Amino acid sequence: MSTTEDRLDRIERKLDAVLAALKGGASAPRSNGSANTAQNDIDVDIDGPRGDPEVRFMPKRWTGTDYKGQKFSACEPAFLDMLADTFEWFAQRDDESNAVDKNGAPKSKWGRLDAARARAWSARLREGDPSSAPAPRARNNAPPARRAPAAAPPEPTYQPLNEYGSSQDDDIPF
């Protein structure tokens, strides 16, 4: 009977390990693919509707092209790396001050998400991924060109009004 009990104990331990892995518990054995899973998650994120945000500011240490107003996919990888470092610094500062967003969640979460997106775009652009956006474009700081004045609108055509004050030939007065 000891062999049956041993088998049951072994099955129970395996079942506990599987349940812990499904729940994501700390006792679940970690596979070597956990980093790969995180990379796949951020790849799915940057392919989503909010995955290619606009650059809202220029890091103070950046001396290259001004990418303010451009999408992450239109920036050079070195700029995105510096931007990611800046977002990480903001997140660390938010953690130290215990800053929260309007929903009461830690504000640093958003800075780290933007940093991860910038790093993912940097890696994708370095690899030359064909699904990435077109080549980087610099922001044009020149003033907009003046437009030629619009042509005069065509002369209006007048139609006589009917007895109800309308130019349409309706029998309904309203």
Side-chain angles (χ1 to χ4, degrees):
M1 292 234 348
S2 69
T3 58
T4 305
E5 289 177 5
D6 291 338
R7 286 182 183 173
L8 287 175
D9 286 340
R10 193 174 69 218
I11 291 171
E12 189 174 282
R13 283 188 301 242
K14 286 182 181 180
L15 184 59
D16 288 341
V18 168
L19 289 175
L22 287 176
K23 292 181 181 177
S27 63
R30 299 282 180 195
S31 67
N32 291 340
S34 63
N36 192 20
T37 304
Q39 181 62 34
N40 288 340
D41 289 346
I42 196 67
D43 281 343
V44 169
D45 179 58
I46 67 172
D47 290 333
R50 294 188 175 110
D52 194 10
E54 195 174 283
V55 176
R56 296 181 301 258
F57 66 94
M58 296 297 296
K60 290 186 178 187
R61 296 179 313 184
W62 180 251
T63 58
T65 306
D66 183 6
Y67 289 105
K68 189 172 181 181
Q70 296 290 325
K71 297 283 189 182
F72 281 13
S73 61
C75 299
E76 63 184 89
F79 170 77
L80 292 172
D81 291 335
M82 185 173 286
L83 188 64
D85 291 341
T86 306
F87 280 129
E88 283 291 335
W89 183 82
F90 287 151
Q92 184 179 4
R93 188 182 64 177
D94 289 339
D95 279 342
E96 290 170 358
S97 66
N98 294 324
V100 294
D101 63 9
K102 65 181 179 181
N103 296 327
K107 192 175 176 184
S108 61
K109 171 177 94 171
W110 303 111
R112 287 195 174 88
L113 182 61
D114 283 339
R117 287 175 177 158
R119 284 194 180 97
W121 272 111
S122 174
R124 184 178 281 189
L125 291 170
R126 278 193 176 99
E127 291 171 0
D129 189 350
S131 67
S132 64
R137 295 178 308 180
R139 182 176 165 203
N140 186 2
N141 289 333
R146 293 190 178 253
R147 292 184 185 174
E155 287 292 321
T157 57
Y158 296 101
Q159 296 179 356
L161 299 178
N162 62 16
E163 63 190 68
Y164 300 110
S166 171
S167 63
Q168 295 180 350
D169 195 17
D170 291 342
D171 290 336
I172 302 173
F174 50 89

